[in-house]
Amino acid sequence: MTPTLELACDLISRRSVTPEDAGCQQLMAERLEAIGFKCEHLRFDDTDNLWAVRGDSGPIFCFAGHTDVVPTGPEANWQTPPFDPTFVDGMLHGRGAADMKGSLASMIIACEEFVAKHPDHTGRIAFLITSDEEGPATNGTVKVVERLEERNEKITWCLVGEPSSTTETGDTIKNGRRGSLGCWLTVKGVQGHVAYPHLAKNPIHSFAPALAELAAEHWDHGNDFFPATSFQVSNINSGTGATNVIPGEVHVIFNFRFSTELTEEILRQRTEAILDKHNLDYDIDWRLSGQPFLTAEGPLVDAAVAAIKTEAGIDTELSTAGGTSDGRFIAPTGAQVVELGPVNATIHKVDECVRAEDLNILSRIYEKILVNLLA
């Protein structure tokens, strides 16, 4: 058992199902305070957050992450109890092992090692930790960033510990993410008897041509860092359940994952233009989960790429694939943001696990990044 694995097991054993923290942040704060960090506990509504800083001036390198985990599902389906960290054939099993308590442990140990060797490092090291990343994400990182902005406290470089790797730790860095724009659409018709369609107006039939056009639309071509914007319907609901009733409304939920080639406003305008073209009577509710962001190059990317090469011996790939992360709240402040963590093959699954040695490697990578930027 290395210090990284011991700490990872301690964190995994805490039942911090979102938005619960279950004492994880207090444990982290105690370790950080012991090496000179000033810790600030920020609770917003049901969410615990930690902002910790070491140093008084200069650029801020921030480790960002979350202590909350997704629900386990039926625990009887797990090979080992999800909150009883267990080693099986070199793999550490437990909810949060990969997403992302393993990363948090690696961050803490990396800082302890770095500070011991470089007590007078340049700049500042910070931690921004929340307990609501897996939930609505309304009282966590976004609120802490708002507080920091009010104080004009600017993060320069941010490393989010999300599990970014594909087959081996360090093979992929997320240096950006697509934006996410959701839509709740109601198309109105006139309910009636199916035997008298001339006395009704079927909203499903009315909407179908517009849906076909939306699905066939080429929104953009992407760019060197992002794939083309995608439109996906996730839910359609209509009708009374009877076979002889034309419904009065159809409810549709869809989502755009969009690149930096487009803006939220452009997507909304183009979508509504298609709906209007088909003379639909509709209500629409747009919800933006996050803007796209990109750190194409710069000191942070260079430091991370070099650290992975040194400590893991591999050439990493830069990628913007996948879902959203809390990096979407930090990047708009002007910070360079990357995501770097262990292999993501089992995240959110039954029997979530991570190769134990990967967490030790990850800790060394994190420490080397600190050396490259602040030593």
Side-chain angles (χ1 to χ4, degrees):
M1 288 286 282
T2 64
T4 298
L5 293 175
E6 287 180 356
L7 181 54
C9 289
D10 197 344
L11 291 169
I12 293 167
S13 69
R14 298 166 187 258
R15 191 178 287 267
S16 58
V17 177
T18 190
E20 296 297 324
D21 171 69
C24 293
Q25 291 177 27
Q26 183 59 42
L27 172 64
M28 295 176 66
E30 290 170 1
R31 300 285 289 256
L32 292 172
E33 287 172 344
I35 56 173
F37 279 78
K38 296 177 182 178
C39 294
E40 185 177 0
H41 295 275
L42 300 168
R43 185 172 177 86
F44 301 107
D45 196 11
D46 60 354
T47 300
D48 289 306
N49 303 286
L50 173 65
W51 173 248
V53 182
R54 187 182 197 277
D56 298 316
S57 62
I60 297 177
F61 174 89
C62 177
F63 285 111
H66 60 91
T67 54
D68 60 319
V69 297
V70 295
T72 63
E75 295 192 16
N77 293 341
W78 285 64
Q79 176 182 343
T80 61
F83 297 104
D84 183 7
T86 307
F87 293 91
V88 180
D89 297 329
M91 305 294 289
L92 172 58
H93 286 245
R95 177 56 90 219
D99 189 12
M100 56 174 286
K101 291 180 175 180
S103 296
L104 297 180
S106 297
M107 292 172 180
I108 295 290
I109 301 305
C111 279
E112 290 178 344
E113 293 291 329
F114 176 76
V115 168
K117 299 169 187 173
H118 306 278
D120 299 319
H121 61 81
T122 61
R124 290 168 283 178
I125 309 172
F127 278 74
L128 197 171
I129 308 298
T130 185
S131 68
D132 90 331
E133 195 273 348
E134 299 289 9
T138 55
N139 292 304
T141 299
V142 63
K143 291 283 183 68
V144 178
V145 169
E146 288 173 0
R147 181 67 59 87
L148 297 178
E149 287 289 286
E150 291 171 0
R151 304 191 308 215
N152 198 31
E153 206 165 350
K154 294 284 189 180
I155 296 170
T156 310
W157 306 299
C158 181
L159 189 153
V160 186
E162 291 291 347
S164 63
S165 302
T166 304
T167 58
E168 58 181 323
T169 291
D171 63 5
T172 306
I173 293 174
K174 304 290 188 182
N175 67 321
R177 291 284 193 170
R178 292 176 294 175
S180 177
L181 177 63
C183 181
W184 281 253
L185 172 69
T186 298
V187 178
K188 303 174 185 179
V190 178
Q191 183 174 310
H193 197 294
V194 297
Y196 303 96
H198 60 287
L199 300 178
K201 183 178 181 180
N202 193 319
I204 300 175
H205 295 185
S206 300
F207 177 61
L211 174 58
E213 186 168 344
L214 289 167
E217 180 77 1
H218 291 285
W219 301 94
D220 62 31
H221 298 287
N223 55 37
D224 290 343
F225 298 97
F226 290 95
T229 292
S230 70
F231 164 87
Q232 290 294 321
V233 174
S234 54
N235 190 281
I236 297 180
N237 181 52
S238 186
T240 65
T243 63
N244 60 350
V245 179
I246 293 171
E249 294 181 337
V250 59
H251 304 278
V252 186
I253 301 174
F254 56 86
N255 179 270
F256 289 101
R257 292 301 166 99
F258 62 103
S259 74
T260 50
E261 294 294 303
L262 294 174
T263 64
E264 169 202 2
E265 292 78 11
I266 291 173
L267 285 171
R268 292 174 58 166
Q269 291 168 3
R270 287 175 61 182
T271 299
E272 292 175 22
I274 290 173
L275 299 176
D276 293 338
K277 172 184 172 183
H278 291 272
N279 298 312
L280 299 177
D281 181 9
Y282 65 90
D283 292 326
I284 195 163
D285 179 19
W286 294 97
R287 303 178 194 178
L288 179 69
S289 298
Q291 297 283 5
F293 67 89
L294 177 69
T295 301
E297 57 186 12
L300 179 59
V301 169
D302 293 345
V305 169
I308 292 168
K309 184 66 173 179
T310 300
E311 300 300 332
I314 58 178
D315 296 314
T316 193
E317 175 187 355
L318 300 180
S319 170
T320 61
T324 60
S325 78
D326 275 2
R328 69 189 189 273
F329 302 126
I330 300 169
T333 68
Q336 295 178 29
V337 178
V338 299
E339 298 171 28
L340 172 58
V343 173
N344 56 28
T346 65
I347 60 175
H348 293 203
K349 292 184 177 181
V350 168
D351 293 326
E352 178 181 350
C353 59
V354 64
R355 194 169 76 97
E357 181 56 24
D358 282 358
L359 297 186
N360 296 322
I361 294 171
L362 188 62
S363 186
R364 294 196 295 271
I365 291 172
Y366 287 165
E367 181 186 353
K368 186 62 175 177
I369 292 172
L370 290 170
V371 170
N372 291 344
L373 290 172
L374 300 179

